[in-house]
Amino acid sequence: MPDYPFLKGHGTENDFVLLPDHDGSVHGDLSPDEMAQRVRALCDRRAGIGGDGVLRVVREDGGWFMDYRNSDGSVSEMCGNGIRVFARHLVDEGLVDGSAPIPVGTRDGLKTLTVDGDLITADMGTPRVLGETTVAVPGHAWVARHVDMGNPHAVAFVDSLDDAGHLLDPPEHDPATYPEGVNVEFVVRRGDRHVAMRVHERGSGETRSCGTGACAAMVAAAVADGLGPGSAYRVDVPGGTLTVTWTEDDRVLLTGPAVIVARGTTSL
Ligand SMILES: N[C@H](CCC[C@H](N)C(=O)O)C(=O)O
């Protein structure tokens, strides 16, 4: 296998391996199983580069498409931290004009990003606030709010983030509600329009941050607070802080840092 280029980046310590593959000639011919195996090898934190997921950078219809994979090789519709890192890469490489809105295609449709110095804002689109469900870890069970951000989330408000335990396994959830699995956020209040969370991510396990999860947590908190569009919350995650804004026209904006930390080649 010839060497191919990669970069490493993160957003609030949700970290990713980026694979430039503009014409699909490097990874595009792999079967789904071969690509999943390559993703697992790249994300392995001992034998590989290490990451919560892979962002494949693909040219599509004259624009850019983010092909996101979780570290277990599974495909997801969207990645809020990842798309900011993706946009940072495009700007750093001079592939887009960072002074203008940046459209990026995803499996959840077209998203638009704007760069303001160290911070990047992703327009995550309209949240879908759905019904109540339940999630459980050994020794604890909670009612949770089902929120869809293009990918599925269950948001549980807990007394202490420690109540979620070690999160070594996926929290129990209703397979009928989440036939494709679910990202589970455990949220505590920190003050007015200020929450903190831990997350067990579908396909990656506990991560230091989850962008779509922070959006789901904010929307669930706003609804619980009797708020809605026209509000903004600070969301603290183990890897840093994100700002989530629910606009008057019912769109969610996710703002946070995004950095590229390394580049190289690999034959993994
Ligand atoms: N694990 C998620 C995708 C990555 C989400 C997270 N890394 C983010 O920043 O949104 C899923 O399977 O839906």
Side-chain angles (χ1 to χ4, degrees):
M1 170 67 210
D3 283 5
Y4 54 84
F6 76 89
L7 298 98
K8 181 73 188 289
H10 76 92
T12 57
E13 299 182 6
N14 194 195
D15 62 336
F16 308 98
V17 179
L18 292 92
L19 299 179
D21 193 11
H22 298 178
D23 62 359
S25 61
V26 182
H27 309 278
D29 292 338
L30 295 182
S31 71
D33 286 350
E34 289 169 334
M35 186 63 186
Q37 173 53 38
R38 177 166 292 178
V39 167
R40 288 191 291 269
L42 288 165
C43 291
D44 187 310
R45 295 192 183 282
R46 292 288 185 275
I49 294 157
D52 293 325
V54 165
L55 312 172
R56 191 165 73 99
V57 186
V58 182
R59 195 92 173 114
E60 185 176 79
D61 300 333
W64 296 100
F65 181 85
M66 179 180 77
D67 172 10
Y68 177 77
R69 315 293 174 118
N70 289 309
S71 59
D72 69 352
S74 61
V75 169
S76 177
E77 303 84 351
M78 182 49 191
C79 181
N81 286 320
I83 201 168
R84 299 199 318 278
V85 175
F86 187 96
R88 176 70 70 198
H89 166 63
L90 295 179
V91 172
D92 287 355
E93 300 296 317
L95 297 171
V96 295
D97 172 3
S99 64
I102 303 165
V104 173
T106 76
R107 291 188 177 86
D108 184 48
L110 193 70
K111 310 296 178 183
T112 302
L113 296 103
T114 53
V115 179
D116 180 9
D118 291 339
L119 297 179
I120 296 183
T121 295
D123 181 338
M124 305 288 282
T126 300
R128 293 177 59 223
V129 185
L130 303 168
E132 291 189 336
T133 183
T134 57
V135 295
V137 299
H140 282 275
W142 298 272
V143 172
R145 170 68 66 178
H146 180 185
V147 179
D148 189 296
M149 289 302 304
N151 60 351
H153 294 268
V155 181
F157 291 93
V158 298
D159 295 329
S160 163
L161 294 178
D162 292 338
D163 293 348
H166 297 297
L167 285 179
L168 299 178
D169 297 310
E172 287 179 44
H173 56 272
D174 176 8
T177 304
Y178 300 109
E180 303 296 326
V182 61
N183 302 283
V184 182
E185 289 79 28
F186 301 92
V187 181
V188 293
R189 303 292 184 146
R190 281 267 163 86
D192 180 37
R193 303 183 196 201
H194 179 191
V195 297
M197 77 174 210
R198 286 174 66 191
V199 59
H200 185 283
E201 279 201 42
R202 175 181 67 170
S204 297
E206 181 169 16
T207 60
R208 299 275 293 164
S209 179
C210 177
T212 51
C215 295
M218 181 270 172
V219 164
V223 167
D225 292 344
L227 300 173
S231 57
Y233 281 61
R234 169 180 167 177
V235 181
D236 293 338
V237 293
T241 294
L242 295 166
T243 300
V244 182
T245 303
W246 195 353
T247 67
E248 293 286 0
D249 65 342
D250 200 19
R251 308 185 69 76
V252 173
L253 307 181
L254 172 66
T255 300
V259 292
I260 302 294
V261 296
R263 66 173 60 231
T265 60
T266 179
S267 58
L268 282 172

